[in-house]
Amino acid sequence: ENVEEILSEIVKKNVKFGLNWRNSGGSRFNIVDKSTDSMIIPTLDALSTGESALFNMFSTIIRYSDYGDINKSIKLNEIEGIVIIDEIDLHLHSSVQCDVLPKLIRKFPKVQFIITSHSPLFILGMKDIFEEKRPQLVFQHRKRLTHYSIPKS
């Protein structure tokens, strides 16, 4: 259920996993729209590179939380930890950087994310999603660090 919630955020539809026939070539799983019960993505291999990267990243957070305490991974908002991601923007479309990624981060309020990015779109998305919490940003320029809170709109 948690993995489907992550995938739903990525594909921007309420989805669930379906099963393909064995030995049909490709992935065993497909992605089904819950509202119509129709397959919308034939295999996990059909996700874009960015969608696949996000899905792998955030489902790995869930998997690692299972190792420590399976009860905490039942609810995404109970998972705790620190996640470090270098250059998150490298393989993500601009709309995913601005819209999807901040929403996925918000689903894990007890996880501290340390993320590097060259993308102002990611920062704008964080500002829109986290307006009330105002995440801390740290900028580095010529070996000098500057701390900055995202201002309220």
Side-chain angles (χ1 to χ4, degrees):
E1 189 172 290
N2 287 335
V3 176
E4 288 176 349
E5 184 178 342
I6 297 298
L7 191 57
S8 293
E9 199 68 60
I10 292 169
V11 299
K12 299 179 183 178
K13 288 187 177 192
N14 192 12
V15 297
K16 64 182 181 181
F17 285 106
L19 286 175
N20 290 323
W21 294 102
R22 289 182 195 261
N23 300 322
S24 63
S27 175
R28 178 88 164 105
F29 292 101
N30 59 47
I31 300 168
V32 176
D33 185 330
K34 283 185 179 180
S35 64
T36 63
D37 206 34
S38 61
M39 181 177 31
I40 58 170
I41 300 175
T43 71
L44 292 177
D45 298 331
L47 292 171
S48 72
T49 302
E51 290 169 337
S52 181
L54 282 178
F55 179 68
N56 287 327
M57 216 178 305
F58 283 90
S59 57
T60 298
I61 295 170
I62 296 169
R63 185 181 59 168
Y64 284 169
S65 72
D66 280 348
Y67 293 151
D69 183 354
I70 195 156
N71 293 318
K72 287 189 177 176
S73 68
I74 292 171
K75 296 181 181 176
L76 296 180
N77 62 355
E78 293 297 320
I79 295 174
E80 299 174 344
I82 299 172
V83 175
I84 301 171
I85 307 169
D86 188 27
E87 297 189 10
I88 189 71
D89 52 317
L90 278 184
H91 301 289
L92 301 180
H93 187 272
S94 57
S95 65
V96 174
Q97 292 175 38
C98 189
D99 184 40
V100 177
L101 182 58
K103 288 179 182 175
L104 287 172
I105 290 171
R106 184 178 60 187
K107 291 188 176 294
F108 296 87
K110 293 184 178 181
V111 173
Q112 179 182 3
F113 287 89
I114 301 169
I115 300 172
T116 65
S117 175
H118 297 280
S119 173
L121 296 173
F122 171 62
I123 304 301
L124 289 172
M126 293 292 285
K127 178 182 177 185
D128 292 343
I129 297 298
F130 289 95
E131 190 171 339
E132 70 284 351
K133 291 190 179 180
R134 297 177 34 193
Q136 297 290 311
L137 303 175
V138 179
F139 294 98
Q140 180 179 1
H141 180 69
R142 296 186 183 166
K143 298 184 181 181
R144 183 173 177 210
L145 297 178
T146 305
H147 295 267
Y148 177 73
S149 291
I150 295 178
K152 291 186 177 184
S153 296

